[in-house]
Amino acid sequence: MIPINIDPNMFSIGPMLITWHGFFSAVGLGVGLWLTANMVAAASKTVTADDVYSIALWAVPGGIVGARLLYVLENAYLFANNPLGMFAINEGGISIYGAVIGGTLAGAIYCSRSHKPLAMLADRAMIGLLLGQGIGRIGDIINGEHHGREAFDFPFSVVYTHPNTLGERGLPVHLAVGYELVYDLVFAWLLTVSQAAQLMTDAILGFTQLLDMVDESQLPEAQRRRQAQHARGANCRRLFAKKSAHINYPRLDAAGCRLKFQCALYFLLAHCV
């Protein structure tokens, strides 16, 4: 059993309260955006880091609007007597599903209007999104606002003890958002490895094709070498196809795959934890 005795509030500046949740959300957003911009700039000659930041000017507000809108739809009864309360986002109440959907749609609209390669950008953005969300979940762990199921006999259960906690004070529970933090980091790593494997395979095949361009077709030894190079290239393709069959490498539907993975995980945690 792991005790968590941390005040969810860091400090206040006048009427503004700075919380661990808000702090790590901002850090996660910045790190995820920085990583995405650098990955895109390294992978593309036509899309720059500045283009990624321009997309973020659409995607981030779209994510905020989507997060709030879905929360309001899911909890409409809370606003039945106070419809204007749905605009009081400073009082809390957002949905991560809405953030992913809203941010993805807004980013896709910008890419369509500016003729940017959506598939390539989505491939890289998914890694930045996973890493950023994992960092943001640190704030959720401190706050305790996502209540897990009771876990009296589980050795890694947590107990929130601070008077200001948003968790279930004194009750051992599963750290559901901690499980998701691990999931976010693992999938970010898997997607990074799968993209690195794709780049390495492309480089090997490109080098093989370059060797094939050497005009030594009249020499028997050169012909044998070329046949061996073709065989190695075919083996590389088969090997990568076999390996990638076990990895959900994101392509045209990267954003959809990311959303499906997360929805499946949340469903599992909601019913099993």
Side-chain angles (χ1 to χ4, degrees), residues 30-255:
V31 172
L33 184 56
W34 172 84
L35 178 63
T36 301
N38 281 272
M39 291 182 67
V40 168
S44 175
K45 295 181 179 179
T46 59
V47 184
T48 66
D50 286 340
D51 291 326
V52 175
Y53 295 129
S54 296
I55 296 171
L57 293 177
W58 282 60
V60 173
I64 295 173
V65 172
R68 182 61 175 179
L69 180 60
L70 187 55
Y71 175 83
V72 170
L73 292 176
E74 291 176 335
N75 302 275
Y77 67 93
L78 296 176
F79 308 98
N81 297 324
N82 181 26
L84 294 179
M86 68 178 65
F87 299 105
I89 192 172
N90 60 302
E91 296 180 1
I94 57 176
S95 168
I96 187 62
Y97 300 112
V100 174
I101 295 171
T104 300
L105 288 176
I109 291 172
Y110 180 89
C111 288
S112 176
R113 291 169 59 93
S114 59
H115 306 290
K116 301 299 181 186
L118 177 60
M120 186 276 291
L121 287 164
D123 283 350
R124 276 73 188 176
M126 291 308 102
I127 298 175
L129 178 60
L130 282 165
L131 179 60
Q133 185 166 309
I135 294 173
R137 285 308 185 193
I138 298 174
D140 289 325
I141 292 174
I142 296 175
N143 274 18
E145 58 190 359
H146 297 279
H147 299 169
R149 288 194 175 182
E150 297 178 4
F152 289 96
D153 299 324
F154 187 59
F156 299 107
S157 62
V158 298
V159 179
Y160 290 94
T161 59
H162 196 278
N164 294 333
T165 184
L166 300 178
E168 297 171 286
R169 188 177 175 189
L171 181 66
V173 295
H174 281 283
L175 189 60
V177 290
Y179 304 156
E180 195 207 331
L181 187 156
V182 174
Y183 148 83
D184 285 333
L185 298 182
V186 168
F187 267 86
W189 177 78
L190 286 175
L191 294 180
T192 302
V193 169
S194 67
Q195 291 192 15
Q198 176 69 56
L199 293 174
M200 186 178 297
T201 303
D202 290 345
I204 293 173
L205 296 180
F207 183 66
T208 301
Q209 293 172 359
L210 180 63
L211 293 178
D212 286 344
M213 295 173 63
V214 179
D215 187 14
E216 296 177 339
S217 58
Q218 303 304 318
L219 300 177
E221 184 62 27
Q223 292 176 352
R224 284 195 292 271
R225 286 202 304 270
R226 224 172 23 256
Q227 291 173 354
Q229 291 161 7
H230 279 297
R232 286 197 298 272
N235 288 336
C236 285
R237 285 189 287 270
R238 284 195 295 270
L239 176 63
F240 180 73
K242 182 178 179 181
K243 295 293 184 181
S244 61
H246 303 287
I247 299 176
N248 190 11
Y249 179 71
R251 278 298 182 185
L252 291 177
D253 59 341

